[in-house]
Amino acid sequence: MHRFLLGLIQLNSGTNVDLNLQKCENFIREAASEGAKLIGLPENFPFLGSEKEKLEKAEEIKTKTINLLSGISQKLNITILAGGFPNPAPNGKVFNTSVIFGPDGKEKFEYHKIHLFDTDPGDGIEYRESRTVESGETVPETYKSPELGNISSVICYDLRFPELFREIMKKDAEMIFVPSAFTKITGEAHWEILLRARAIENQCFIFAPAQTGVHLKGRETYGHSLVVDPWGNILGDAGEGEKVLLTEIDLEEVQKVRKRIPALKHRRIHS
């Protein structure tokens, strides 16, 4: 299948796990009813609240998330990217994990976020993801979907580390998800330019489903879920607010761009 319909779900997630997952299910069904075969959820889609509550609810969040997405992907015959949810780690913390569920309902891909958001970006909030999240250590694999093509995923802050994307390209990726909860202040400054840069550098599609709006304690996320093609063109921008962004993807564009400018083959410096 060289062409398919992509659905990116933009959310304003809160602390109510059941409510968040119900919204996800509603949007997934809406996207699938329009013909979407690949659907992406943002980082923190089942829960976005305090770090303490996240740890307390981690097992519940994981179980409910996997049960919902495994069942609905099989029922609707679609592929779903679970953009980032807490997954209990052995040391009492959690991993920030993304999973791809295939149309058979089975897990095809799992990645633990490597780069953790320990920053003071200037919005008055101190972010210390590492207090509760254990960093992953493994470069994401590529899920070679027979229906769609070669799919991988990073998570949010990973976007700022181009060397990670280069490692993924060694695994034949054609599409890379960047599920995110980008802060408004950094989103306004860097979101679009970084996503377009990663697409251009790696000559691949970038799919970035995002959180939007105001959350607990005034935390504000940027929205603007984006679809970027391998030439760096923006094919879709969700703007603000909760919604489904539907975009037609022509996977042949990957090979067309790589043939026009074979930069990946011209690399002289390798890690």
Side-chain angles (χ1 to χ4, degrees):
M1 181 186 291
H2 294 297
R3 290 178 179 267
F4 63 88
L5 193 64
L6 168 75
L8 297 187
I9 296 174
Q10 184 161 285
L11 294 172
N12 177 252
S13 296
T15 59
N16 188 320
V17 178
D18 292 331
L19 178 60
N20 292 332
L21 290 178
Q22 184 61 60
K23 286 196 293 187
C24 291
E25 180 176 356
N26 293 343
F27 280 128
I28 289 169
R29 290 186 180 278
E30 177 186 336
S33 71
E34 295 289 334
K37 289 298 181 183
L38 177 62
I39 296 173
L41 294 161
E43 184 185 29
N44 300 326
F45 65 93
F47 178 84
L48 186 49
S50 74
E51 298 300 294
K52 179 176 181 291
E53 191 176 2
K54 179 175 71 176
L55 288 181
E56 292 171 350
K57 290 185 173 181
E59 192 63 53
E60 173 196 353
I61 296 168
K62 176 186 176 182
T63 300
K64 289 181 175 179
T65 294
I66 290 174
N67 287 345
L68 169 66
L69 299 182
S70 175
I72 199 169
S73 59
Q74 183 178 25
K75 187 177 296 183
L76 300 179
N77 191 36
I78 55 175
T79 300
I80 300 175
L81 181 280
F85 60 91
N87 183 359
N91 62 358
K93 294 184 178 183
V94 296
F95 293 111
N96 188 343
T97 300
S98 63
V99 172
I100 294 175
F101 296 88
D104 59 0
K106 295 181 180 179
E107 294 184 28
K108 306 297 185 181
F109 166 100
E110 181 182 79
Y111 164 66
H112 301 319
K113 184 179 182 182
I114 292 175
H115 301 99
L116 304 183
F117 195 57
D118 289 359
T119 73
D120 299 281
D123 59 1
I125 299 175
E126 179 189 81
Y127 299 88
R128 294 293 181 269
E129 190 175 15
S130 65
R131 287 175 180 161
T132 56
V133 178
E134 182 71 11
S135 177
E137 297 181 351
T138 305
V139 172
E141 296 295 330
T142 295
Y143 166 46
K144 297 183 178 181
S145 163
E147 299 89 8
L148 302 169
N150 298 348
I151 309 166
S152 192
S153 178
V154 299
I155 301 176
C156 200
Y157 191 46
D158 287 330
L159 176 62
R160 294 183 181 273
F161 300 87
E163 64 273 17
L164 178 59
F165 287 74
R166 275 293 195 244
E167 289 299 310
I168 294 171
M169 296 315 296
K170 295 177 182 178
K171 304 183 180 190
D172 301 321
E174 298 168 307
M175 301 165 268
I176 301 177
F177 276 98
V178 188
S180 297
F182 240 67
T183 66
K184 184 175 182 182
I185 190 170
T186 59
E188 290 175 338
H190 303 144
W191 176 246
E192 179 184 316
I193 195 168
L194 286 174
L195 290 169
R196 294 183 69 195
R198 297 296 89 85
I200 294 166
E201 290 166 350
N202 298 291
Q203 300 178 317
C204 68
F205 281 97
I206 296 289
F207 304 149
Q211 291 281 347
T212 183
V214 180
H215 309 271
L216 185 71
K217 295 184 178 179
R219 177 175 176 176
E220 192 167 4
T221 51
Y222 183 58
H224 291 277
S225 299
L226 288 188
V227 180
V228 187
D229 77 7
W231 195 249
N233 297 309
I234 295 175
L235 304 184
D237 181 340
E240 299 177 353
E242 295 187 307
K243 66 190 68 171
V244 175
L245 175 66
L246 296 170
T247 310
E248 185 173 326
I249 303 301
D250 181 0
L251 205 59
E252 289 187 356
E253 289 300 314
V254 174
Q255 297 310 320
K256 287 180 182 177
V257 168
R258 292 177 182 180
K259 186 175 181 180
R260 288 166 72 182
I261 302 179
L264 293 174
K265 292 182 178 179
H266 290 164
R267 292 179 62 215
R268 299 291 299 276
I269 300 172
H270 299 269
S271 57

